[in-house]
Every structure is written in C-alpha cells, then in structure tokens.
Amino acid sequence: MLRHVTTRLVGATVSQPVRPFQAIPTPGATRTFAAKKPKVEDGTLEGRYATALFMASSDRLEKVHNDLISIRTMMNESKDFKLAVETPGIEPESKVAAFEAICQKAGSDIAVVNFIKVMVENKRAHLLSRTIDLFESFYRAEKGLVVCKVTSAAPLSSVQQSQVKDAMQKRAEKGATLIMEYNTNPALLGGLVVKMGEAVLDFSTSTRLERLQSQLLAPVS
C-alpha cells in the first residue's frame, strides 16, 4: 500500500493558493458538544494546527488520537512515504488523493482527513509529524497521562521496574497515570536518571562522581 501511495505522490509541481488557517470542520455533521481547548498551550504554527484538530474532535479524542498515531507510525516505518509527504514540490492534489486512500483503507475519522487536507493545501505537510506529536501531548494532558522516562546503566529487572514505578507514582499528581519508558546508558555507571514531565531526578553514579570531583577541586577557604 505504501509503495503504491509513494508512487502516486511523485508528480508534477503545481503551485496552489494557501487557505487561511481555521478550525477544521466536519462536513455533514452537526456539532452537539462544546469545543474544548487543550489543557496545555503551544503557540507555534504546528501547535495551532494541533489545537484546531483537538477542538474539532474533542468528543472523540480516542479515535482521532489513534488514527494520527497510525499515520505517524507509517511515516516512521517507510522513509519513502515520509519523504513523499514532506517534499514541498509534489503536487498537492496527489498528496491529498494518497492520504484519502490511506485514511479510507484505515477507516480514519473524517476530522483527520480534513485536517490533513488543510495542511497539504496550505503547504504545511512537512510539519505533520511534529503536529501529531503536539496533538499527542494535548491528548495525554487531557487524559492525565504522564511520561516517565527511566534511564539506568544496565537493564532493570521486572521487580526493579515495579519498584521505580511505585516510587514515581507517589511523586506524581493525584489521578495521574504514568507511561513508563525504560532505557539504558552505560555512561551512567550506576544508579538512575528519571524524567517525569518536566522534572528530572538524577541519582546516577556518574553525576555523584562529578559532584565529588567538583568538591575536591574547590579551593579551601
């Protein structure tokens, strides 16, 4: 499917007028809910697109979020597809047709289809990946999901992972659900570095050694 789509995207270059930025409507649907803004803000262009989609789909966030993650996964797994999407010189109609085929096959929400159309027609398709990342951050904030990245010198056992998760859950805000990510970095020598939201807790051996060295080299008063 992706190979076929990538082939379709290779076409003549045609300049298209840029549509003004606006919230993404859902054709044929009557809005029966109050559009909800994200709990976090992002003033970048990508953030504006992500915010518009969030507000247009706030009654079905789960579906739209899953559809966007699927598109991002396809872009990450196929370099040709990602290149075709982000290349500015490819005819917009070809990009729209390709995305419509993909979304139809995947059963994507109509808001996702309209969102991609607007980005392509405004020549902002190269911002799609970053926009999806921001939408995901809006989604996580809305659902109370907090990413907790744990880096250790060697892989942690399942028991150790559970202990770290329990300890960090006590530090998290009430009602928050942690999304645990475990990585390794031998340069730490030992201990852990934990990043939860914007907070960073450094309990690594390498950092302790650096602090000790700084203390030893400090002039004696």
Side-chain angles (χ1 to χ4, degrees):
M1 177 65 179
L2 289 182
R3 184 183 297 275
H4 173 65
V5 169
T6 302
T7 301
R8 290 179 61 184
L9 287 178
V10 179
T13 59
V14 178
S15 60
Q16 293 290 327
V18 177
R19 290 175 56 184
F21 179 83
Q22 56 186 352
I24 304 160
T26 303
T30 301
R31 176 166 293 178
T32 58
F33 65 97
K36 192 174 185 180
K37 288 186 177 181
K39 292 182 177 180
V40 294
E41 296 183 0
D42 187 286
T44 65
L45 181 57
E46 298 95 319
R48 291 172 59 201
Y49 277 102
T51 298
L53 178 59
F54 184 94
M55 294 179 64
S57 59
S58 56
D59 61 332
R60 52 193 190 283
L61 280 180
E62 199 75 34
K63 169 62 174 170
V64 171
H65 171 258
N66 291 338
D67 290 345
L68 291 176
I69 298 306
S70 296
I71 292 174
R72 186 178 64 186
T73 298
M74 285 188 285
M75 292 176 66
N76 290 339
E77 292 179 348
S78 173
K79 292 183 179 179
D80 289 339
F81 178 56
K82 181 178 176 65
L83 180 63
V85 169
E86 296 182 348
T87 299
I90 295 178
E91 184 179 353
E93 287 89 343
S94 297
K95 288 188 179 184
V96 169
F99 269 118
E100 284 182 331
I102 291 174
C103 290
Q104 182 178 9
K105 186 178 179 67
S108 300
D109 190 276
I110 186 63
V112 174
V113 179
N114 292 337
F115 160 72
I116 292 175
K117 282 182 179 180
V118 170
M119 292 202 74
V120 170
E121 291 170 2
N122 285 359
K123 299 182 180 179
R124 298 290 187 262
H126 62 287
L127 303 177
L128 180 59
S129 182
R130 173 59 181 162
T131 304
I132 293 175
D133 289 344
L134 287 172
F135 185 93
E136 183 174 36
S137 70
F138 296 164
Y139 169 83
R140 287 176 172 174
E142 182 67 24
K143 298 295 183 179
L145 305 176
V146 180
V147 177
C148 185
K149 298 181 179 181
V150 181
T151 305
S152 56
L156 301 179
S157 66
S158 58
V159 173
Q160 291 172 323
Q161 289 183 1
S162 296
Q163 291 174 338
V164 171
K165 182 176 181 180
D166 290 342
M168 296 310 298
Q169 189 68 60
K170 294 177 182 178
R171 288 176 173 265
E173 293 184 6
K174 184 177 180 181
T177 300
L178 298 185
I179 301 175
M180 303 300 296
E181 296 180 4
Y182 297 95
N183 304 292
T184 58
N185 181 2
L188 296 182
L189 301 179
L192 300 171
V193 175
V194 183
K195 185 177 187 300
M196 183 172 68
E198 299 301 319
V200 178
L201 305 174
D202 192 340
F203 304 111
S204 64
T205 300
S206 60
T207 297
R208 290 200 298 268
L209 290 175
E210 288 177 3
R211 291 172 182 167
L212 177 60
Q213 183 181 39
S214 297
Q215 292 173 357
L216 293 175
L217 294 177
V220 178
S221 56

